Amino acid sequence: MDPGEAAILESSLRSFYWLFAPLPPLPPLPAALPGRMNVIDHVRDMAAAGLHSNVRLLSSLLLTMSNNNPELFSPSQKYQLLVYHADSLFHDKEYRNAVSKYTMALQQKKALSKTSKVRPSTGNSASTPQSQCLPSEIEVKYKMAECYTMLKQDKDAIAILDGIPSRQRTPKINMMLANLYKKAGQERPSVTSYKEVLRQCPLALDAILGLLSLSVKGAEVASMTMNVIQTVPNLDWLSVWIKAYAFVHTGDNSRAINTICSLEKKSLLRDNVDLLGSLADLYFRAGDNKNSVLKFEQAQMLDPYLIKGMDVYGYLLAREGRLEDVENLGCRLFNISDQHAEPWVVSGCHSFYSKRYSRALYLGAKAIQLNSNSVQALLLKGAALRNMGRVQEAIIHFREAIRLAPCRLDCYEGLIECYLASNSIREAMVMANNVYKTLGANAQTLTLLATVCLEDPVTQEKAKTLLDKALTQRPDYIKAVVKKAELLSREQKYEDGIALLRNALANQSDCVLHRILGDFLVAVNEYQEAMDQYSIALR
């Protein structure tokens, strides 16, 4: 081989070598320059902008990268990624998955706090001040507690919040703790937490209601807001508002109605939907269904999207036989939101008064699933169970309703009806006497006690005396009129019964009273007028 060919061969071999030789490893990516955003900053900004689906996708990919290469992100960056990913899961209502990621984030934060010196990152690390703003560990625990409450794991929620030192608890943490303690029947820590909320936020009205519901005196609660009332203009109504709801939670319906009416008449608070709803509920508790319906209708006209209290309104309409109105109300509420208990209760009332008890039971259960504190849902389900012959199950629901609303007479009425249905007259009598002593001698409690006395031949005279007292207090109280008419029917005093019913119907119209009057008129051979009364009842 001549020298020229050798040179050409050598040049070709060198080209071949460089073409197929393995590439050297790439140098590490340079750290982000000061002031330049890294990928974690982008994730944070998207989370702040509410781009939750985008955060979920990107953080999932970055977490996988981190798992495959632990050196890719620093411990603080890994903590941030876990929190933002968990937040996106929370937004998508994947609460159990979110809890898992929040737990991993807290473990990462714990490891991070033990390390005084952060590991150098081979990837996207940056030393910008923004990258050092880590998500609050307390906020992470609060989000975990929210997840647990959505999963109906209240004990776990209390445990995670209890782990936060008292001095580090924000008002919303204390508020959640107070509500959870109250739900668990732990009154003392609940009161303490509500008071802490008021100490930090003296105009937290729901915390005020929480304290009043736990039998804290109105004067004591008012004293906690005195400074803000004296220093902030246009808050002179607040002390009266506290007084009104103190009456509400002690069961003094009459004084509560008068106090709220005085508030509602003030020019600045006139036509307030919340006050009207409270008035409607108070009239209902006092047995004044006519005024209750009027106030609910007034509130509904002011706010067509109102949901709160509409379950009671639907029950009153159903009880009056206005089933078409109940059906329309249910459809309207479902169009507003199907994630509240009220639409399901209203539809359940329609089914119950249409004698479709199985469907009413299902709808009541669905409402309780959405809101386990819905008293009206518990009463609906209890009534459906009772009418289906499942009395013992019904008793459980009525007892829970009493626990949640100890001042509502209809909860006790449902339980007593269960006792009477199972011939447990003694238990019914004990309960009726307790209600009479607890809520006071008013037309409603007198009538309830008389209802039980009517079941025992020995106490018929006592029942008559109690009903006379009730009608003396409130001649228009329908339940007392119905029971007195029942007693007169037993004694065959039809003329007295007709006079009683005519007097009751002079200023109101009720289908039950018209039907009973029709029965009495038949008994005295007044058939034509009886037909007229039956026609009115059907209308």
Side-chain angles (χ1 to χ4, degrees), residues 249-410:
H249 289 287
T250 55
D252 193 342
N253 297 326
S254 177
R255 294 171 77 182
I257 288 170
N258 292 334
T259 310
I260 292 181
C261 281
S262 71
L263 269 178
E264 209 269 329
K265 287 175 183 176
K266 289 189 176 182
S267 57
L268 291 177
L269 292 176
R270 188 180 296 122
D271 291 339
N272 176 265
V273 172
D274 289 319
L275 288 179
L276 287 170
S278 295
L279 267 179
D281 189 60
L282 284 165
Y283 280 125
F284 167 66
R285 295 187 189 194
D288 188 350
N289 295 344
K290 181 180 179 181
N291 273 320
S292 179
V293 169
L294 287 174
K295 290 300 178 184
F296 275 129
E297 287 174 349
Q298 190 178 345
Q300 193 178 210
M301 287 177 65
L302 289 167
D303 184 0
Y305 299 101
L306 180 65
I307 289 181
K308 184 180 179 182
M310 290 295 101
D311 48 355
V312 175
Y313 178 51
Y315 162 73
L316 290 172
L317 294 180
R319 189 183 174 280
E320 290 180 0
R322 295 165 57 181
L323 295 183
E324 186 176 348
D325 291 337
V326 177
E327 187 174 15
N328 291 335
L329 175 64
C331 291
R332 186 175 65 79
L333 292 176
F334 273 119
N335 286 333
I336 297 171
S337 171
D338 61 356
Q339 295 303 305
H340 289 75
E342 285 83 351
W344 301 91
V345 173
V346 170
S347 293
C349 288
H350 183 274
S351 297
F352 182 85
Y353 282 90
S354 301
K355 298 185 178 181
R356 291 182 291 165
Y357 302 125
S358 296
R359 179 161 178 76
L361 177 62
Y362 161 74
L363 293 167
K366 177 64 178 178
I368 293 170
Q369 184 181 351
L370 290 169
N371 180 7
S372 59
N373 290 332
S374 172
V375 174
Q376 211 61 37
L378 288 164
L379 295 177
L380 171 64
K381 189 178 177 186
L385 287 166
R386 182 191 63 224
N387 284 21
M388 293 170 69
R390 296 159 63 177
V391 177
Q392 293 306 313
E393 292 176 67
I395 286 173
I396 294 171
H397 287 77
F398 286 120
R399 283 177 176 166
E400 177 63 12
I402 290 170
R403 187 187 72 79
L404 293 171
C407 292
R408 278 188 58 169
L409 192 75
D410 51 342

Side-chain angles (χ1 to χ4, degrees), residues 75-89:
S76 63
Q77 290 176 323
K78 179 77 175 288
Y79 166 69
Q80 291 177 76
L81 277 177
L82 285 165
V83 172
Y84 296 135
H85 188 61
D87 286 345
S88 66
L89 292 170

Side-chain angles (χ1 to χ4, degrees), residues 153-175:
Q153 296 175 218
D154 291 347
K155 288 183 179 179
D156 293 319
I158 290 174
I160 197 74
L161 294 178
D162 259 340
I164 300 173
S166 299
R167 291 183 180 181
Q168 296 180 20
R169 292 175 188 171
T170 60
K172 69 177 181 180
I173 289 173
N174 280 312
M175 191 69 190

